[in-house]
mmCIF file with all atom_site columns, all heavy atoms in Angstrom:
data_model
loop_
_atom_site.group_PDB
_atom_site.id
_atom_site.type_symbol
_atom_site.label_atom_id
_atom_site.label_alt_id
_atom_site.label_comp_id
_atom_site.label_asym_id
_atom_site.label_entity_id
_atom_site.label_seq_id
_atom_site.pdbx_PDB_ins_code
_atom_site.Cartn_x
_atom_site.Cartn_y
_atom_site.Cartn_z
_atom_site.occupancy
_atom_site.B_iso_or_equiv
_atom_site.pdbx_formal_charge
_atom_site.auth_seq_id
_atom_site.auth_comp_id
_atom_site.auth_asym_id
_atom_site.auth_atom_id
_atom_site.pdbx_PDB_model_num
ATOM 1   N N   . ASN A 1 127 ? -41.268 59.942 127.270 1.00 94.00 ? 127 ASN A N   1
ATOM 2   C CA  . ASN A 1 127 ? -40.493 59.970 128.519 1.00 94.00 ? 127 ASN A CA  1
ATOM 3   C C   . ASN A 1 127 ? -41.191 60.819 129.581 1.00 94.00 ? 127 ASN A C   1
ATOM 4   O O   . ASN A 1 127 ? -41.239 60.446 130.757 1.00 94.00 ? 127 ASN A O   1
ATOM 5   C CB  . ASN A 1 127 ? -39.074 60.483 128.281 1.00 94.00 ? 127 ASN A CB  1
ATOM 6   C CG  . ASN A 1 127 ? -38.225 59.512 127.482 1.00 94.00 ? 127 ASN A CG  1
ATOM 7   O OD1 . ASN A 1 127 ? -38.592 58.352 127.311 1.00 94.00 ? 127 ASN A OD1 1
ATOM 8   N ND2 . ASN A 1 127 ? -37.089 60.001 126.990 1.00 94.00 ? 127 ASN A ND2 1
ATOM 9   N N   . GLY A 1 128 ? -41.738 61.966 129.170 1.00 93.00 ? 128 GLY A N   1
ATOM 10  C CA  . GLY A 1 128 ? -42.457 62.825 130.109 1.00 93.00 ? 128 GLY A CA  1
ATOM 11  C C   . GLY A 1 128 ? -43.691 62.130 130.676 1.00 93.00 ? 128 GLY A C   1
ATOM 12  O O   . GLY A 1 128 ? -43.968 62.185 131.875 1.00 93.00 ? 128 GLY A O   1
ATOM 13  N N   . THR A 1 129 ? -44.436 61.467 129.786 1.00 94.00 ? 129 THR A N   1
ATOM 14  C CA  . THR A 1 129 ? -45.637 60.747 130.217 1.00 94.00 ? 129 THR A CA  1
ATOM 15  C C   . THR A 1 129 ? -45.269 59.623 131.174 1.00 94.00 ? 129 THR A C   1
ATOM 16  O O   . THR A 1 129 ? -45.921 59.431 132.223 1.00 94.00 ? 129 THR A O   1
ATOM 17  C CB  . THR A 1 129 ? -46.380 60.179 128.993 1.00 94.00 ? 129 THR A CB  1
ATOM 18  O OG1 . THR A 1 129 ? -46.676 61.246 128.105 1.00 94.00 ? 129 THR A OG1 1
ATOM 19  C CG2 . THR A 1 129 ? -47.661 59.485 129.404 1.00 94.00 ? 129 THR A CG2 1
ATOM 20  N N   . ASN A 1 130 ? -44.242 58.873 130.839 1.00 94.00 ? 130 ASN A N   1
ATOM 21  C CA  . ASN A 1 130 ? -43.812 57.761 131.704 1.00 94.00 ? 130 ASN A CA  1
ATOM 22  C C   . ASN A 1 130 ? -43.302 58.280 133.044 1.00 94.00 ? 130 ASN A C   1
ATOM 23  O O   . ASN A 1 130 ? -43.544 57.652 134.080 1.00 94.00 ? 130 ASN A O   1
ATOM 24  C CB  . ASN A 1 130 ? -42.736 56.920 131.023 1.00 94.00 ? 130 ASN A CB  1
ATOM 25  C CG  . ASN A 1 130 ? -43.324 56.032 129.954 1.00 94.00 ? 130 ASN A CG  1
ATOM 26  O OD1 . ASN A 1 130 ? -44.535 55.795 129.932 1.00 94.00 ? 130 ASN A OD1 1
ATOM 27  N ND2 . ASN A 1 130 ? -42.480 55.530 129.073 1.00 94.00 ? 130 ASN A ND2 1
ATOM 28  N N   . THR A 1 131 ? -42.607 59.389 133.049 1.00 94.00 ? 131 THR A N   1
ATOM 29  C CA  . THR A 1 131 ? -42.115 59.954 134.308 1.00 94.00 ? 131 THR A CA  1
ATOM 30  C C   . THR A 1 131 ? -43.295 60.338 135.197 1.00 94.00 ? 131 THR A C   1
ATOM 31  O O   . THR A 1 131 ? -43.294 60.068 136.417 1.00 94.00 ? 131 THR A O   1
ATOM 32  C CB  . THR A 1 131 ? -41.216 61.171 134.031 1.00 94.00 ? 131 THR A CB  1
ATOM 33  O OG1 . THR A 1 131 ? -40.131 60.773 133.203 1.00 94.00 ? 131 THR A OG1 1
ATOM 34  C CG2 . THR A 1 131 ? -40.687 61.774 135.312 1.00 94.00 ? 131 THR A CG2 1
ATOM 35  N N   . ALA A 1 132 ? -44.316 60.956 134.608 1.00 93.00 ? 132 ALA A N   1
ATOM 36  C CA  . ALA A 1 132 ? -45.505 61.332 135.378 1.00 93.00 ? 132 ALA A CA  1
ATOM 37  C C   . ALA A 1 132 ? -46.229 60.090 135.894 1.00 93.00 ? 132 ALA A C   1
ATOM 38  O O   . ALA A 1 132 ? -46.673 60.042 137.056 1.00 93.00 ? 132 ALA A O   1
ATOM 39  C CB  . ALA A 1 132 ? -46.435 62.185 134.525 1.00 93.00 ? 132 ALA A CB  1
ATOM 40  N N   . THR A 1 133 ? -46.349 59.076 135.047 1.00 94.00 ? 133 THR A N   1
ATOM 41  C CA  . THR A 1 133 ? -47.015 57.834 135.445 1.00 94.00 ? 133 THR A CA  1
ATOM 42  C C   . THR A 1 133 ? -46.248 57.149 136.567 1.00 94.00 ? 133 THR A C   1
ATOM 43  O O   . THR A 1 133 ? -46.847 56.668 137.540 1.00 94.00 ? 133 THR A O   1
ATOM 44  C CB  . THR A 1 133 ? -47.144 56.892 134.233 1.00 94.00 ? 133 THR A CB  1
ATOM 45  O OG1 . THR A 1 133 ? -47.830 57.574 133.188 1.00 94.00 ? 133 THR A OG1 1
ATOM 46  C CG2 . THR A 1 133 ? -47.903 55.634 134.590 1.00 94.00 ? 133 THR A CG2 1
ATOM 47  N N   . ILE A 1 134 ? -44.950 57.119 136.438 1.00 94.00 ? 134 ILE A N   1
ATOM 48  C CA  . ILE A 1 134 ? -44.121 56.496 137.484 1.00 94.00 ? 134 ILE A CA  1
ATOM 49  C C   . ILE A 1 134 ? -44.258 57.265 138.787 1.00 94.00 ? 134 ILE A C   1
ATOM 50  O O   . ILE A 1 134 ? -44.322 56.684 139.873 1.00 94.00 ? 134 ILE A O   1
ATOM 51  C CB  . ILE A 1 134 ? -42.644 56.398 137.019 1.00 94.00 ? 134 ILE A CB  1
ATOM 52  C CG1 . ILE A 1 134 ? -42.512 55.359 135.910 1.00 94.00 ? 134 ILE A CG1 1
ATOM 53  C CG2 . ILE A 1 134 ? -41.719 56.068 138.173 1.00 94.00 ? 134 ILE A CG2 1
ATOM 54  C CD1 . ILE A 1 134 ? -41.160 55.287 135.261 1.00 94.00 ? 134 ILE A CD1 1
ATOM 55  N N   . GLY A 1 135 ? -44.345 58.589 138.688 1.00 92.00 ? 135 GLY A N   1
ATOM 56  C CA  . GLY A 1 135 ? -44.554 59.403 139.886 1.00 92.00 ? 135 GLY A CA  1
ATOM 57  C C   . GLY A 1 135 ? -45.880 59.046 140.566 1.00 92.00 ? 135 GLY A C   1
ATOM 58  O O   . GLY A 1 135 ? -45.958 58.918 141.797 1.00 92.00 ? 135 GLY A O   1
ATOM 59  N N   . CYS A 1 136 ? -46.940 58.870 139.774 1.00 92.00 ? 136 CYS A N   1
ATOM 60  C CA  . CYS A 1 136 ? -48.253 58.489 140.318 1.00 92.00 ? 136 CYS A CA  1
ATOM 61  C C   . CYS A 1 136 ? -48.189 57.114 140.965 1.00 92.00 ? 136 CYS A C   1
ATOM 62  O O   . CYS A 1 136 ? -48.755 56.881 142.050 1.00 92.00 ? 136 CYS A O   1
ATOM 63  C CB  . CYS A 1 136 ? -49.320 58.499 139.230 1.00 92.00 ? 136 CYS A CB  1
ATOM 64  S SG  . CYS A 1 136 ? -49.783 60.141 138.695 1.00 92.00 ? 136 CYS A SG  1
ATOM 65  N N   . LEU A 1 137 ? -47.496 56.179 140.290 1.00 92.00 ? 137 LEU A N   1
ATOM 66  C CA  . LEU A 1 137 ? -47.368 54.823 140.830 1.00 92.00 ? 137 LEU A CA  1
ATOM 67  C C   . LEU A 1 137 ? -46.601 54.835 142.152 1.00 92.00 ? 137 LEU A C   1
ATOM 68  O O   . LEU A 1 137 ? -46.953 54.100 143.091 1.00 92.00 ? 137 LEU A O   1
ATOM 69  C CB  . LEU A 1 137 ? -46.682 53.903 139.831 1.00 92.00 ? 137 LEU A CB  1
ATOM 70  C CG  . LEU A 1 137 ? -47.522 53.489 138.604 1.00 92.00 ? 137 LEU A CG  1
ATOM 71  C CD1 . LEU A 1 137 ? -46.669 52.681 137.629 1.00 92.00 ? 137 LEU A CD1 1
ATOM 72  C CD2 . LEU A 1 137 ? -48.738 52.698 139.031 1.00 92.00 ? 137 LEU A CD2 1
ATOM 73  N N   . LYS A 1 138 ? -45.584 55.658 142.226 1.00 92.00 ? 138 LYS A N   1
ATOM 74  C CA  . LYS A 1 138 ? -44.815 55.764 143.477 1.00 92.00 ? 138 LYS A CA  1
ATOM 75  C C   . LYS A 1 138 ? -45.712 56.269 144.609 1.00 92.00 ? 138 LYS A C   1
ATOM 76  O O   . LYS A 1 138 ? -45.635 55.783 145.742 1.00 92.00 ? 138 LYS A O   1
ATOM 77  C CB  . LYS A 1 138 ? -43.605 56.682 143.301 1.00 92.00 ? 138 LYS A CB  1
ATOM 78  C CG  . LYS A 1 138 ? -42.463 56.065 142.555 1.00 92.00 ? 138 LYS A CG  1
ATOM 79  C CD  . LYS A 1 138 ? -41.287 57.044 142.482 1.00 92.00 ? 138 LYS A CD  1
ATOM 80  C CE  . LYS A 1 138 ? -40.120 56.454 141.738 1.00 92.00 ? 138 LYS A CE  1
ATOM 81  N NZ  . LYS A 1 138 ? -39.008 57.406 141.659 1.00 92.00 ? 138 LYS A NZ  1
ATOM 82  N N   . GLN A 1 139 ? -46.547 57.241 144.292 1.00 91.00 ? 139 GLN A N   1
ATOM 83  C CA  . GLN A 1 139 ? -47.457 57.757 145.321 1.00 91.00 ? 139 GLN A CA  1
ATOM 84  C C   . GLN A 1 139 ? -48.457 56.679 145.755 1.00 91.00 ? 139 GLN A C   1
ATOM 85  O O   . GLN A 1 139 ? -48.749 56.526 146.946 1.00 91.00 ? 139 GLN A O   1
ATOM 86  C CB  . GLN A 1 139 ? -48.223 58.978 144.793 1.00 91.00 ? 139 GLN A CB  1
ATOM 87  C CG  . GLN A 1 139 ? -47.386 60.223 144.703 1.00 91.00 ? 139 GLN A CG  1
ATOM 88  C CD  . GLN A 1 139 ? -48.181 61.395 144.134 1.00 91.00 ? 139 GLN A CD  1
ATOM 89  O OE1 . GLN A 1 139 ? -49.299 61.230 143.627 1.00 91.00 ? 139 GLN A OE1 1
ATOM 90  N NE2 . GLN A 1 139 ? -47.598 62.581 144.239 1.00 91.00 ? 139 GLN A NE2 1
ATOM 91  N N   . GLN A 1 140 ? -48.983 55.930 144.796 1.00 89.00 ? 140 GLN A N   1
ATOM 92  C CA  . GLN A 1 140 ? -49.936 54.875 145.139 1.00 89.00 ? 140 GLN A CA  1
ATOM 93  C C   . GLN A 1 140 ? -49.266 53.782 145.981 1.00 89.00 ? 140 GLN A C   1
ATOM 94  O O   . GLN A 1 140 ? -49.849 53.263 146.936 1.00 89.00 ? 140 GLN A O   1
ATOM 95  C CB  . GLN A 1 140 ? -50.560 54.274 143.872 1.00 89.00 ? 140 GLN A CB  1
ATOM 96  C CG  . GLN A 1 140 ? -51.529 55.217 143.187 1.00 89.00 ? 140 GLN A CG  1
ATOM 97  C CD  . GLN A 1 140 ? -52.073 54.643 141.889 1.00 89.00 ? 140 GLN A CD  1
ATOM 98  O OE1 . GLN A 1 140 ? -51.655 53.580 141.440 1.00 89.00 ? 140 GLN A OE1 1
ATOM 99  N NE2 . GLN A 1 140 ? -53.010 55.353 141.287 1.00 89.00 ? 140 GLN A NE2 1
ATOM 100 N N   . ILE A 1 141 ? -48.033 53.456 145.633 1.00 88.00 ? 141 ILE A N   1
ATOM 101 C CA  . ILE A 1 141 ? -47.289 52.439 146.407 1.00 88.00 ? 141 ILE A CA  1
ATOM 102 C C   . ILE A 1 141 ? -47.053 52.947 147.819 1.00 88.00 ? 141 ILE A C   1
ATOM 103 O O   . ILE A 1 141 ? -47.202 52.212 148.798 1.00 88.00 ? 141 ILE A O   1
ATOM 104 C CB  . ILE A 1 141 ? -45.974 52.066 145.694 1.00 88.00 ? 141 ILE A CB  1
ATOM 105 C CG1 . ILE A 1 141 ? -46.267 51.290 144.414 1.00 88.00 ? 141 ILE A CG1 1
ATOM 106 C CG2 . ILE A 1 141 ? -45.056 51.268 146.607 1.00 88.00 ? 141 ILE A CG2 1
ATOM 107 C CD1 . ILE A 1 141 ? -45.063 51.040 143.539 1.00 88.00 ? 141 ILE A CD1 1
ATOM 108 N N   . ALA A 1 142 ? -46.716 54.206 147.920 1.00 86.00 ? 142 ALA A N   1
ATOM 109 C CA  . ALA A 1 142 ? -46.486 54.792 149.252 1.00 86.00 ? 142 ALA A CA  1
ATOM 110 C C   . ALA A 1 142 ? -47.772 54.760 150.073 1.00 86.00 ? 142 ALA A C   1
ATOM 111 O O   . ALA A 1 142 ? -47.749 54.452 151.272 1.00 86.00 ? 142 ALA A O   1
ATOM 112 C CB  . ALA A 1 142 ? -45.961 56.210 149.110 1.00 86.00 ? 142 ALA A CB  1
ATOM 113 N N   . GLN A 1 143 ? -48.897 55.048 149.448 1.00 85.00 ? 143 GLN A N   1
ATOM 114 C CA  . GLN A 1 143 ? -50.164 54.998 150.154 1.00 85.00 ? 143 GLN A CA  1
ATOM 115 C C   . GLN A 1 143 ? -50.484 53.567 150.588 1.00 85.00 ? 143 GLN A C   1
ATOM 116 O O   . GLN A 1 143 ? -50.956 53.328 151.701 1.00 85.00 ? 143 GLN A O   1
ATOM 117 C CB  . GLN A 1 143 ? -51.312 55.521 149.276 1.00 85.00 ? 143 GLN A CB  1
ATOM 118 C CG  . GLN A 1 143 ? -51.343 57.024 149.150 1.00 85.00 ? 143 GLN A CG  1
ATOM 119 C CD  . GLN A 1 143 ? -52.454 57.492 148.205 1.00 85.00 ? 143 GLN A CD  1
ATOM 120 O OE1 . GLN A 1 143 ? -53.098 56.689 147.519 1.00 85.00 ? 143 GLN A OE1 1
ATOM 121 N NE2 . GLN A 1 143 ? -52.670 58.797 148.184 1.00 85.00 ? 143 GLN A NE2 1
ATOM 122 N N   . LEU A 1 144 ? -50.220 52.605 149.708 1.00 82.00 ? 144 LEU A N   1
ATOM 123 C CA  . LEU A 1 144 ? -50.483 51.208 150.050 1.00 82.00 ? 144 LEU A CA  1
ATOM 124 C C   . LEU A 1 144 ? -49.581 50.753 151.193 1.00 82.00 ? 144 LEU A C   1
ATOM 125 O O   . LEU A 1 144 ? -50.010 50.008 152.073 1.00 82.00 ? 144 LEU A O   1
ATOM 126 C CB  . LEU A 1 144 ? -50.307 50.301 148.839 1.00 82.00 ? 144 LEU A CB  1
ATOM 127 C CG  . LEU A 1 144 ? -51.389 50.394 147.770 1.00 82.00 ? 144 LEU A CG  1
ATOM 128 C CD1 . LEU A 1 144 ? -51.012 49.552 146.560 1.00 82.00 ? 144 LEU A CD1 1
ATOM 129 C CD2 . LEU A 1 144 ? -52.733 49.957 148.322 1.00 82.00 ? 144 LEU A CD2 1
ATOM 130 N N   . GLN A 1 145 ? -48.342 51.204 151.158 1.00 80.00 ? 145 GLN A N   1
ATOM 131 C CA  . GLN A 1 145 ? -47.440 50.829 152.251 1.00 80.00 ? 145 GLN A CA  1
ATOM 132 C C   . GLN A 1 145 ? -47.919 51.446 153.568 1.00 80.00 ? 145 GLN A C   1
ATOM 133 O O   . GLN A 1 145 ? -47.817 50.833 154.625 1.00 80.00 ? 145 GLN A O   1
ATOM 134 C CB  . GLN A 1 145 ? -45.995 51.257 151.936 1.00 80.00 ? 145 GLN A CB  1
ATOM 135 C CG  . GLN A 1 145 ? -45.331 50.385 150.921 1.00 80.00 ? 145 GLN A CG  1
ATOM 136 C CD  . GLN A 1 145 ? -43.916 50.883 150.571 1.00 80.00 ? 145 GLN A CD  1
ATOM 137 O OE1 . GLN A 1 145 ? -43.571 52.021 150.859 1.00 80.00 ? 145 GLN A OE1 1
ATOM 138 N NE2 . GLN A 1 145 ? -43.144 50.009 149.956 1.00 80.00 ? 145 GLN A NE2 1
ATOM 139 N N   . SER A 1 146 ? -48.421 52.640 153.508 1.00 79.00 ? 146 SER A N   1
ATOM 140 C CA  . SER A 1 146 ? -48.916 53.266 154.739 1.00 79.00 ? 146 SER A CA  1
ATOM 141 C C   . SER A 1 146 ? -50.181 52.556 155.229 1.00 79.00 ? 146 SER A C   1
ATOM 142 O O   . SER A 1 146 ? -50.420 52.471 156.428 1.00 79.00 ? 146 SER A O   1
ATOM 143 C CB  . SER A 1 146 ? -49.168 54.743 154.536 1.00 79.00 ? 146 SER A CB  1
ATOM 144 O OG  . SER A 1 146 ? -50.269 54.946 153.682 1.00 79.00 ? 146 SER A OG  1
ATOM 145 N N   . LEU A 1 147 ? -50.973 52.024 154.338 1.00 74.00 ? 147 LEU A N   1
ATOM 146 C CA  . LEU A 1 147 ? -52.165 51.295 154.731 1.00 74.00 ? 147 LEU A CA  1
ATOM 147 C C   . LEU A 1 147 ? -51.822 49.950 155.372 1.00 74.00 ? 147 LEU A C   1
ATOM 148 O O   . LEU A 1 147 ? -52.529 49.474 156.252 1.00 74.00 ? 147 LEU A O   1
ATOM 149 C CB  . LEU A 1 147 ? -53.084 51.051 153.528 1.00 74.00 ? 147 LEU A CB  1
ATOM 150 C CG  . LEU A 1 147 ? -53.856 52.238 152.997 1.00 74.00 ? 147 LEU A CG  1
ATOM 151 C CD1 . LEU A 1 147 ? -54.641 51.846 151.763 1.00 74.00 ? 147 LEU A CD1 1
ATOM 152 C CD2 . LEU A 1 147 ? -54.790 52.792 154.054 1.00 74.00 ? 147 LEU A CD2 1
ATOM 153 N N   . SER A 1 148 ? -50.754 49.315 154.879 1.00 68.00 ? 148 SER A N   1
ATOM 154 C CA  . SER A 1 148 ? -50.412 48.010 155.439 1.00 68.00 ? 148 SER A CA  1
ATOM 155 C C   . SER A 1 148 ? -49.900 48.132 156.867 1.00 68.00 ? 148 SER A C   1
ATOM 156 O O   . SER A 1 148 ? -49.875 47.182 157.610 1.00 68.00 ? 148 SER A O   1
ATOM 157 C CB  . SER A 1 148 ? -49.387 47.289 154.572 1.00 68.00 ? 148 SER A CB  1
ATOM 158 O OG  . SER A 1 148 ? -48.185 48.011 154.585 1.00 68.00 ? 148 SER A OG  1
ATOM 159 N N   . GLU A 1 149 ? -49.523 49.301 157.244 1.00 67.00 ? 149 GLU A N   1
ATOM 160 C CA  . GLU A 1 149 ? -49.076 49.508 158.615 1.00 67.00 ? 149 GLU A CA  1
ATOM 161 C C   . GLU A 1 149 ? -50.276 49.621 159.563 1.00 67.00 ? 149 GLU A C   1
ATOM 162 O O   . GLU A 1 149 ? -50.157 49.375 160.753 1.00 67.00 ? 149 GLU A O   1
ATOM 163 C CB  . GLU A 1 149 ? -48.210 50.760 158.714 1.00 67.00 ? 149 GLU A CB  1
ATOM 164 C CG  . GLU A 1 149 ? -46.878 50.598 157.994 1.00 67.00 ? 149 GLU A CG  1
ATOM 165 C CD  . GLU A 1 149 ? -46.066 51.885 158.000 1.00 67.00 ? 149 GLU A CD  1
ATOM 166 O OE1 . GLU A 1 149 ? -46.499 52.886 158.596 1.00 67.00 ? 149 GLU A OE1 1
ATOM 167 O OE2 . GLU A 1 149 ? -44.989 51.887 157.392 1.00 67.00 ? 149 GLU A OE2 1
ATOM 168 N N   . VAL A 1 150 ? -51.411 49.973 159.048 1.00 65.00 ? 150 VAL A N   1
ATOM 169 C CA  . VAL A 1 150 ? -52.626 50.043 159.853 1.00 65.00 ? 150 VAL A CA  1
ATOM 170 C C   . VAL A 1 150 ? -53.164 48.615 160.011 1.00 65.00 ? 150 VAL A C   1
ATOM 171 O O   . VAL A 1 150 ? -53.129 47.818 159.097 1.00 65.00 ? 150 VAL A O   1
ATOM 172 C CB  . VAL A 1 150 ? -53.675 50.933 159.151 1.00 65.00 ? 150 VAL A CB  1
ATOM 173 C CG1 . VAL A 1 150 ? -54.966 50.955 159.922 1.00 65.00 ? 150 VAL A CG1 1
ATOM 174 C CG2 . VAL A 1 150 ? -53.133 52.320 158.948 1.00 65.00 ? 150 VAL A CG2 1
ATOM 175 N N   . VAL A 1 151 ? -53.679 48.322 161.145 1.00 63.00 ? 151 VAL A N   1
ATOM 176 C CA  . VAL A 1 151 ? -54.209 46.978 161.395 1.00 63.00 ? 151 VAL A CA  1
ATOM 177 C C   . VAL A 1 151 ? -55.543 46.866 160.673 1.00 63.00 ? 151 VAL A C   1
ATOM 178 O O   . VAL A 1 151 ? -56.439 47.668 160.837 1.00 63.00 ? 151 VAL A O   1
ATOM 179 C CB  . VAL A 1 151 ? -54.401 46.743 162.910 1.00 63.00 ? 151 VAL A CB  1
ATOM 180 C CG1 . VAL A 1 151 ? -55.022 45.401 163.166 1.00 63.00 ? 151 VAL A CG1 1
ATOM 181 C CG2 . VAL A 1 151 ? -53.093 46.910 163.611 1.00 63.00 ? 151 VAL A CG2 1
#
Side-chain angles (χ1 to χ4, degrees):
N127 291 346
T129 304
N130 284 342
T131 302
T133 304
I134 290 173
C136 288
L137 287 175
K138 284 182 180 179
Q139 286 178 349
Q140 289 176 354
I141 291 172
Q143 284 177 351
L144 288 174
Q145 285 177 343
S146 69
L147 286 176
S148 65
E149 292 175 3
V150 177
V151 177

